[in-house]
Amino acid sequence: MITFQDVTIELNGVRALEEVSLCVEPGELMGLVGPSGAGKSVLLKAACGLIPVTSGRIEIAETPLNELSEDEILDLRRRIGMLFQQGALFDALSVFENVAFPLRRRDWPEQEITDRVLIELERVGLSHAAHLLPEELSGGMRKRTGIARALVTDPPVGLFDEPIAGLDPVTGSRILNLLRTASTERKVTSIAVGHELDTLLPVCDRVAMLLDGRLVYLGSASEMPEAEHLAVRQFFMGSEEGPL
């Protein structure tokens, strides 16, 4: 469903990704981990066409991004649910209207918009907050609103950048369970970026780790402590000793 083939990306003369090859299978929830600055957010933004590749190839549902026109990329993004690090909510819109925004862009009938948004808010536990503005929300509520907006169209692909960063463990677990449910029940093929390995990894089917823009691990979470790359083992264990 999501394929990166020898993807290299240069930003301002610096290589943010270098020859990354990675496939995410249909319905899979893949965790994407690595130190800050490893290239995780760049990879997500490249996957939805926000950042062009310098070389290599990205395909979404066997559609190569680098062969699409600007209008075709915009159409492709309609099939991708994206959660940005800070939520990227519209400050002047209520929770309801933020979640409804993708549906309005698709010219859904008003009653269908209302019905779908209320269902999505119920899923993320925010039915009581539909009228609130983003400035009135806690960090966890903002993240849940962003997830509801990302999933309200039932997209085949979901990209979630730091969905639980800065949240308490209970709220973080609830959000990750939402992503797991989206994968298993709604068949959303997803990539979730995070540093909270103890909560992120158990809900993921596989884990990919980036280091200095390179893919250094791809496999199960259970095999990370025995990974060949020393940095992978150090990152998993949270140890001060190692190359990181």
Side-chain angles (χ1 to χ4, degrees):
M1 181 62 77
I2 309 172
T3 301
F4 301 84
Q5 183 178 345
D6 297 324
V7 172
T8 294
I9 294 178
E10 292 187 1
L11 300 174
N12 300 319
V14 177
R15 286 202 168 184
L17 293 177
E18 187 162 358
E19 298 182 347
V20 172
S21 293
L22 173 68
C23 291
V24 187
E25 301 298 332
E28 182 177 24
L29 173 56
M30 178 171 286
L32 182 61
V33 302
S36 298
K40 303 183 297 296
S41 295
V42 172
L43 185 143
L44 287 195
K45 291 176 181 177
C48 60
L50 291 175
I51 296 177
V53 301
T54 304
S55 63
R57 183 183 183 92
I58 299 177
E59 295 183 359
I60 304 294
E62 300 184 346
T63 301
L65 267 63
N66 57 329
E67 297 179 8
L68 300 181
S69 67
E70 185 173 338
D71 287 342
E72 289 172 329
I73 288 179
L74 289 174
D75 182 64
L76 177 68
R77 287 182 190 147
R78 293 174 181 268
R79 293 183 280 151
I80 298 175
M82 180 78 181
L83 173 70
F84 294 91
Q85 278 191 24
Q86 305 302 322
L89 301 181
F90 298 108
D91 292 338
L93 299 183
S94 67
V95 167
F96 182 97
E97 290 301 330
N98 263 283
V99 178
F101 183 80
L103 303 179
R104 297 198 191 284
R105 292 292 298 270
R106 291 162 174 77
D107 296 322
W108 278 40
E110 194 60 35
Q111 187 57 53
E112 290 185 25
I113 290 176
T114 298
D115 294 343
R116 177 61 68 87
V117 171
L118 292 179
I119 289 172
E120 210 62 51
L121 290 178
E122 176 68 25
R123 282 175 171 150
V124 300
L126 288 178
S127 298
H128 66 289
H131 63 288
L132 297 180
L133 292 172
E135 65 181 18
E136 301 174 284
L137 305 178
S138 67
M141 294 169 74
R142 291 176 67 92
K143 288 288 178 69
R144 282 184 283 163
T145 301
I147 290 172
R149 185 175 64 185
L151 295 175
V152 71
T153 61
D154 277 331
V157 173
L159 305 173
F160 305 96
D161 200 353
E162 299 281 9
I164 61 172
L167 303 182
D168 66 83
V170 173
T171 302
S173 294
R174 287 174 177 168
I175 287 178
L176 290 177
N177 285 334
L178 289 173
L179 302 189
R180 180 72 262 175
T181 299
S183 174
T184 56
E185 297 183 7
R186 303 169 72 177
K187 307 306 178 185
V188 181
T189 303
S190 303
I191 301 176
V193 170
H195 294 96
E196 304 81 359
L197 303 190
D198 56 336
T199 50
L200 174 64
L201 299 190
V203 304
C204 296
D205 297 300
R206 287 189 299 160
V207 182
M209 179 173 167
L210 292 177
L211 178 63
D212 297 327
R214 288 183 173 273
L215 182 67
V216 295
Y217 180 80
L218 177 62
S220 68
S222 62
E223 295 172 336
M224 288 185 77
E226 286 78 42
E228 180 178 350
H229 202 299
L230 179 57
V232 176
R233 302 200 301 270
Q234 180 190 0
F235 190 79
F236 180 84
M237 300 302 293
S239 172
E240 294 184 4
E241 298 181 3
L244 297 179

